Amino acid sequence: MTFIVLARSTARALFSGGRSYHRQFSTAAIARHLENVEATHHHGGSFYYWRKMSSLPEIKDQHHNSSEEKKNEDTTTTNNNNNSVVSSYWGITRPKIQREDGTEWPWNCFMPWDTYRADVSIDVNKHHVPKTFTDKVAFRSVKFLRVLSDLYFKERYGCHAMMLETIAAVPGMVGGMLLHLKSLRKFQHSGGWIKALLEEAENERMHLMTMVELVKPSWHERLLVITAQGVFFNFFFVFYLVSPKAAHRFVGYLEEEAVISYTQHLDAIVSGKVENVPAPAIAIDYWRLPKDATLKDVVTVIRADEAHHRDVNHFASDIHHQGKELKEAPAPIGYH
């Protein structure tokens, strides 16, 4: 009988051309069913067979019930934690990090190994005398921009610094990005300059995060930041593509003006024009400042960072002036 059923299902499959898959599947299932029936008869009757067949739905129901219970538990847990913050991604969670004093590390934007003590012994009065035509153009352009910013901000040192950092954080990111793409295109190393420029961009961003804690920008200052950043990013992107040598020199002079601005800010704090308020918590942790640090300490370490950026960008421009690529000289990584 089994042979006859199988022969019929085979014939149907040949003549239908595979169009009735579900029907064939059902026929094959019937054939298997008949084989099981015959097997059970050889084992002493059909009782064992029906018991076996009836147990399958029970297992399925148990699995279904357990799934429903788990789903209900998950729903209950979700409802109980509606206000909780998701802190993991596919089981990967940030380990608990502590400060040296044992307290919990409060920042997600930077970790303890990203912090450092600024080298405040650096010469803040150093100046690169423009010699070539491109140097002079870069120097005059920065001086012109400085006049415009002084006219707008005047003696609002905090707002001036905030605006300055939104611009100063752009060149390192653009330069690092373009060197990254160049490294991918040419299948070659960058000599560490990608990391050096991205470190500079991140450091400038932390300057901004610190200044925002001290200065609450108004709506028109925020609008100015959006406009200036949009214009400057696109300008510097094209500028760096055309001439990395001139672009780094321009940034070097821009950092020189930043050092001058923070020096004026320090003078205003010392003279009493600006209140020497306690340093923000983010600055204390990022620069490893003492707990009783003040605004004067924060401005001092930021000015030192700007002086390092000044030297790095003038150094990068000098490499290009020698007809070399940045990868041919060691990148100054890890100075902050």
Side-chain angles (χ1 to χ4, degrees):
M1 180 178 180
T2 303
F3 176 77
I4 296 174
V5 173
L6 289 175
R8 288 178 180 177
S9 62
T10 303
R12 288 174 182 172
L14 290 174
F15 286 107
S16 63
R19 288 189 299 271
S20 56
Y21 169 78
H22 295 291
R23 184 181 298 174
Q24 296 166 25
F25 179 80
S26 300
T27 306
I30 293 172
R32 288 194 300 270
H33 169 74
L34 294 175
E35 289 177 356
N36 290 333
V37 170
E38 292 180 3
T40 52
H41 281 295
H42 287 295
H43 283 83
S46 60
F47 176 76
Y48 171 78
Y49 166 74
W50 288 113
R51 182 179 179 183
K52 179 181 178 183
M53 293 298 293
S54 63
S55 66
L56 295 176
E58 292 179 2
I59 296 175
K60 183 177 180 180
D61 290 340
Q62 290 175 2
H63 178 70
H64 178 73
N65 293 336
S66 63
S67 300
E68 289 293 333
E69 292 176 0
K70 184 177 181 181
K71 183 178 179 181
N72 293 334
E73 292 177 358
D74 293 341
T75 303
T76 304
T77 303
T78 303
N79 293 333
N80 293 335
N81 298 324
N82 284 332
N83 297 325
S84 63
V85 178
V86 177
S87 60
S88 65
Y89 176 72
W90 280 38
I92 301 174
T93 58
R94 196 194 80 168
K96 292 184 178 180
I97 304 173
Q98 295 181 343
R99 294 191 182 98
E100 294 179 355
D101 58 2
T103 58
E104 184 178 357
W105 184 257
W107 313 106
N108 290 324
C109 55
F110 67 100
M111 294 293 108
W113 49 85
D114 298 321
T115 64
Y116 65 101
R117 298 186 187 277
D119 179 14
V120 296
S121 64
I122 189 170
D123 185 5
V124 297
N125 297 315
K126 192 186 299 183
H127 169 63
H128 182 277
V129 179
K131 299 177 182 178
T132 65
F133 175 75
T134 55
D135 289 355
K136 293 177 181 179
V137 171
F139 179 72
R140 295 300 176 186
S141 299
V142 171
K143 284 297 184 183
F144 174 72
L145 294 175
R146 175 60 188 262
V147 171
L148 294 180
S149 63
D150 286 344
L151 288 175
Y152 182 80
F153 291 104
K154 297 180 180 179
E155 293 186 351
R156 291 180 296 162
Y157 300 104
C159 294
H160 192 180
M162 179 200 67
M163 182 66 186
L164 177 67
E165 299 301 344
T166 62
I167 298 299
V170 171
M173 181 60 65
V174 172
M177 176 185 66
L178 291 177
L179 288 179
H180 172 75
L181 296 177
K182 182 179 179 180
S183 176
L184 297 179
R185 290 194 309 271
K186 295 192 174 183
F187 311 107
Q188 62 185 15
H189 295 287
S190 68
W193 279 95
I194 296 174
K195 184 174 181 61
L197 294 178
L198 293 181
E199 279 184 353
E200 176 185 317
E202 174 65 9
N203 183 247
E204 296 284 9
R205 190 185 67 85
M206 290 304 299
H207 293 176
L208 176 63
M209 295 298 102
T210 299
M211 284 300 164
V212 169
E213 294 290 328
L214 297 168
V215 180
K216 305 301 179 183
S218 59
W219 68 268
H220 57 86
E221 289 171 340
R222 290 178 179 269
L223 180 61
L224 178 62
V225 166
I226 295 173
T227 305
Q229 188 184 84
V231 173
F232 184 72
F233 177 87
N234 290 282
F235 159 76
F236 193 81
F237 181 85
V238 177
F239 189 18
Y240 200 95
L241 285 175
V242 173
S243 177
K245 172 177 61 178
H248 280 292
R249 188 68 76 201
F250 176 85
V251 178
Y253 287 128
L254 190 67
E255 299 294 353
E256 287 186 12
E257 294 302 320
V259 171
I260 294 173
S261 296
Y262 282 113
T263 300
Q264 294 174 350
H265 198 169
L266 279 174
D267 293 339
I269 295 173
V270 172
S271 64
K273 290 183 180 180
V274 176
E275 183 181 359
N276 191 21
V277 297
I282 190 172
I284 292 175
D285 284 333
Y286 183 68
W287 283 283
R288 301 176 189 172
L289 297 174
K291 297 298 183 182
D292 57 348
T294 62
L295 176 60
K296 180 181 177 181
D297 300 315
V298 174
V299 175
T300 300
V301 294
I302 292 178
R303 183 180 65 169
D305 288 346
E306 304 292 5
H308 283 289
H309 300 162
R310 171 203 65 195
D311 294 348
V312 169
N313 281 277
H314 281 315
F315 173 53
S317 183
D318 290 341
I319 295 171
H320 284 292
H321 271 286
Q322 296 172 13
K324 300 179 180 179
E325 294 187 13
L326 292 182
K327 66 184 180 66
E328 299 180 45
I333 300 175
Y335 62 88
H336 51 40

